Amino acid sequence: MLKNQTDKTKLPSRHVTEGPARAPHRSYFYAMELTEAEINQPFVGVATCWNEAAPCNIALNWQAQSVKTGVKAAGGTPREFTTITVTDGIAMGHEGMRSSLASREAIADTVELTMRGHCYDAIVGLAGCDKSLPGMMMAMVRLNTPSVFMYGGSILPGKVPDGADVPADFASRDLTVQDMFEAVGRYQAGDVSDAQLAVLERVACPSAGACGGQFTANTMACVSEAIGLALFNSSGMPAPYESRGEYGIASGEAVMTLLDKNIRARDVVTLKSLQNAARVVACTGGSTNAGLHLPAIAHEAGVDFTLEDVCDIFRDTPYFVDLKPGGQYVAKDLYEAGGVPVVMKELRKSGLIHEDCVTASGRTIGEEIDRVTGEADGRVIYPVENPITKTGGVVGLKGNLAPEGAIVKVAGMSEEEQVFTGPARVFESEEEAFEAVKQRGYKEGEVIVIRNEGPSGGPGMREMLATTAALSGQGMGKKVALITDGRFSGATRGFCVGHVGPEAAHGGPIGMLEDGDVITINAITGELSVDLTDEELATRKANWKGPKETIYASGALWKYAQLVGGAQKGAVTHPGAKAEKHIYMDL
């Protein structure tokens, strides 16, 4: 039993449970069969992104029940609520993808409003899909409540049945949704038949859980542990495993300990813990989207941590965890090899972890690593002194084509493959580019440019997995490069540069490019440039006719386009902690 469990004099829930004036409020709680003792306890929001949109979220509901069990056992009163999710695997490749990044803000906003409106004292947040993870963590840091994050878990790897008629390379490997997008590219190229595609689509995603490789969901799940908001090793176990319930119970108990000790989200999320998180992204070859989400989480804490800062850490962090899409293994393999705790233990050996950061357990990162008994297996997790490559799997770029920076994943690429110079082939939207790729309307050696897909200009900063997967399926993934002011899926392979800033809609140089302009991408030196003088670029900008008009003239995406800032600071939509005049917990 926690010593402060019935002392509500400084807790938000006192506003709805204490004193004669709150009798109407208490009558609502009695209507839901709460007891007087439960009303007198701290109220803990148990927030999930459960829905039936995709396998990523489908297991969150039952996991939330285990969290509630843990909260109750530790003397709290859990109050479950849900928020939205837009799942990228479903939204990918069409107009629905514009809703994806905007959903991150909607998740953070709706969780904030629910917590504020009902005066909950702490939160355990469960999420399963790409944007729901950072969205939930952003809400925790924005509210600055005692907070514990819990990932819903990854999907199991897909397997082709023995004797099935599919291309041999599909039959011999673990499958993920990335393979399905690439199978579509090969279908368009005539290398996969209708019957083979039908076999693959039925086995690629065999269970509940988020995409299995080190794509955005698993990347941000690793971040949740490294940053300290999740219990160590809680993110690794696949979604179908019933023993995930043990982590749910532990997370519910942990949030009550944090509440008792008044350890809040911003005590956990600091500049040092953000740097720890970026290290883990780099060494696991994680998604470029972390370069968008870490600055956004930092913004909620009032910490300056931009895309450039993230990329600085990526540049001097060894890449030593062999995960898809650049490597061989999936999240289940990482879990069985010891998970994020073993990865962080390896980073500590090179002095690359801040050990004094507090975590959801109330212990420091260093104390948590001291408890880790596992060691690098040399297969999934290489020893840090013998990495796959000496620098991170994701690097930042800058130059006259990206004055505010850009980002590219190089995990699994040789040094030779990390330098590309070629003429631009410019497209004004993803659809235009995808249609050209389907028709082979491009040439080997070109740099495909997709613009007007930034946070504001899109609107929504869509991911380009359908286009990049089609290129890979056509066998052209290493024969062309691609740059965009939009984003790439964490499942993207090939030399694909995203987050180019400023975006075209804000008058960035990417909006001034013309077919044939010679572009250089050098991930070794960190360069993204076009062979034009400053004077030539200035002349083109003077003749620029302004942003491309979109069809979104009202509604949520119009509102998002008006508010959203640049990618280098996380594509955020409000002033952040630096401008706030109160802390929710202290009202």
Side-chain angles (χ1 to χ4, degrees):
M1 183 173 289
L2 300 176
K3 62 183 180 183
N4 293 329
Q5 69 169 27
T6 57
D7 179 8
K8 288 198 174 187
T9 56
K10 293 183 179 180
L11 294 181
S13 63
R14 74 185 186 279
H15 296 302
V16 296
T17 63
E18 304 302 294
R22 299 304 178 235
H25 306 67
R26 289 192 295 273
S27 71
Y28 271 27
F29 300 132
Y30 285 119
M32 294 182 284
E33 300 185 348
L34 293 187
T35 65
E36 181 178 2
E38 288 171 325
I39 294 169
N40 288 334
Q41 293 175 160
F43 280 15
V44 177
V46 179
T48 80
C49 298
W50 178 87
N51 61 33
E52 294 182 333
C56 337
N57 316 304
I58 203 74
L60 295 176
N61 195 16
W62 75 261
Q63 293 184 42
Q65 308 318 306
S66 64
V67 171
K68 291 161 68 176
T69 298
V71 170
K72 290 177 183 178
T77 300
R79 310 311 298 150
E80 183 180 357
F81 64 94
T82 61
T83 184
I84 69 159
T85 317
V86 174
T87 295
D88 290 7
I90 299 290
M92 193 75 69
H94 54 86
E95 284 292 303
M97 193 65 205
R98 300 196 190 281
S99 299
S100 172
L101 186 57
S103 76
R104 184 191 73 180
E105 312 311 304
I107 290 163
D109 291 350
T110 52
V111 171
E112 176 198 358
L113 292 173
T114 302
M115 292 285 291
R116 284 183 181 275
H118 303 107
C119 300
Y120 295 155
D121 302 316
I123 182 172
V124 180
L126 297 91
C129 193
D130 296 8
K131 308 308 170 298
S132 60
L133 280 79
M136 191 67 73
M137 288 185 264
M138 287 163 65
M140 293 171 172
V141 180
R142 184 184 302 176
L143 291 161
N144 199 24
T145 60
S147 303
V148 176
F149 178 85
M150 183 172 163
Y151 182 41
S154 70
I155 200 167
L156 294 173
K159 301 282 188 182
V160 173
D162 290 343
D165 175 25
V166 299
D169 56 329
F170 285 112
S172 64
R173 65 177 185 248
D174 288 341
L175 299 177
T176 69
V177 73
Q178 168 201 359
D179 296 287
M180 287 312 307
F181 280 97
E182 293 187 7
V184 169
R186 287 171 62 172
Y187 173 82
Q188 291 162 351
D191 297 332
V192 171
S193 69
D194 285 292
Q196 290 172 328
L197 198 62
V199 171
L200 291 169
E201 69 186 40
R202 285 165 171 77
V203 299
C205 299
S207 73
C211 301
Q214 192 66 339
F215 312 151
T216 304
N218 281 320
T219 296
M220 295 310 296
C222 292
V223 161
S224 71
E225 289 188 41
I227 210 169
L229 286 171
L231 296 175
F232 253 38
N233 211 32
S234 63
S235 69
M237 185 182 292
Y241 288 19
E242 290 187 8
S243 46
R244 285 200 65 80
E246 297 172 14
Y247 283 108
I249 293 169
S251 295
E253 292 172 341
V255 81
M256 293 302 296
T257 299
L258 297 179
L259 184 63
D260 190 53
K261 295 180 177 180
N262 194 29
I263 297 174
R264 304 180 181 184
R266 292 184 201 167
D267 297 320
V268 173
V269 177
T270 63
L271 178 59
K272 285 183 177 180
S273 73
L274 287 157
Q275 290 169 342
N276 285 346
R279 294 280 185 207
V280 168
V281 174
C283 74
T284 60
S287 169
T288 55
N289 284 310
L292 194 69
H293 301 322
L294 287 173
I297 295 169
H299 181 72
E300 303 291 356
V303 174
D304 291 323
F305 194 63
T306 67
L307 174 64
E308 188 170 358
D309 297 318
V310 174
C311 290
D312 285 345
I313 290 173
F314 289 170
R315 192 174 297 116
D316 65 0
T317 306
Y319 162 51
F320 59 85
V321 186
D322 191 19
L323 297 172
K324 289 175 178 278
Q328 301 182 63
Y329 298 103
V330 296
K332 176 177 178 285
D333 301 313
L334 176 60
Y335 170 68
E336 291 172 351
V340 174
V342 171
V343 172
M344 296 187 75
K345 185 176 181 180
E346 288 301 309
L347 285 168
R348 180 167 75 170
K349 292 176 183 177
S350 290
L352 296 176
I353 285 291
H354 299 293
E355 297 186 42
D356 56 343
C357 299
V358 70
T359 74
S361 68
R363 294 182 289 269
T364 66
I365 286 285
E367 290 169 337
E368 287 289 0
I369 295 175
D370 287 341
R371 296 159 61 95
V372 177
T373 58
E375 297 289 344
D377 66 341
R379 184 178 68 100
V380 181
I381 306 171
Y382 284 52
V384 70
E385 65 271 13
N386 184 32
I388 300 167
T389 60
K390 293 180 180 178
T391 58
V394 179
V395 298
L397 307 172
K398 264 196 169 182
N400 69 343
L401 190 45
E404 291 181 353
I407 195 166
V408 61
K409 179 184 278 193
V410 296
M413 296 173 67
S414 67
E415 285 198 0
E416 183 180 340
E417 293 169 338
Q418 294 180 36
V419 180
F420 197 104
T421 297
R425 173 80 63 154
V426 181
F427 299 99
E428 303 297 338
S429 68
E430 182 190 13
E431 286 84 0
E432 192 178 299
F434 185 58
E435 191 59 35
V437 169
K438 283 200 300 182
Q439 303 300 325
R440 298 287 185 127
Y442 65 95
K443 296 178 181 177
E444 182 176 333
E446 289 184 327
V447 178
I448 295 172
V449 177
I450 305 178
R451 62 190 179 197
N452 303 306
E453 294 289 3
S456 179
M461 204 180 184
R462 287 190 292 179
E463 293 180 349
M464 309 292 162
L465 180 59
T467 302
T468 58
L471 287 166
S472 292
Q474 293 173 5
M476 296 295 284
K478 295 183 179 181
K479 297 176 182 177
V480 295
L482 197 155
I483 71 169
T484 182
D485 52 7
R487 297 181 295 123
F488 289 112
S489 165
T492 292
R493 292 196 297 171
F495 207 19
C496 300
V497 179
H499 304 198
V500 174
E503 61 174 291
H506 291 168
I510 192 173
M512 311 305 141
L513 292 176
E514 298 175 0
D515 284 345
D517 289 340
V518 178
I519 294 172
T520 295
I521 310 167
N522 189 324
I524 297 170
T525 62
E527 176 190 356
L528 177 59
S529 63
V530 58
D531 189 16
L532 295 172
T533 65
D534 292 344
E535 291 74 22
E536 287 171 311
L537 281 170
T539 298
R540 290 189 187 183
K541 184 159 186 181
N543 295 325
W544 184 54
K545 296 178 181 178
K548 178 187 174 186
E549 190 172 291
T550 80
I551 62 172
Y552 297 94
S554 65
L557 287 172
W558 174 86
K559 189 190 312 182
Y560 179 80
Q562 312 312 306
L563 293 172
V564 69
Q568 82 278 12
K569 294 185 179 179
V572 294
T573 57
H574 70 110
K578 284 190 175 181
E580 69 187 10
K581 295 183 178 179
H582 77 276
I583 299 291
Y584 160 74
M585 282 294 287
D586 298 329
L587 281 176

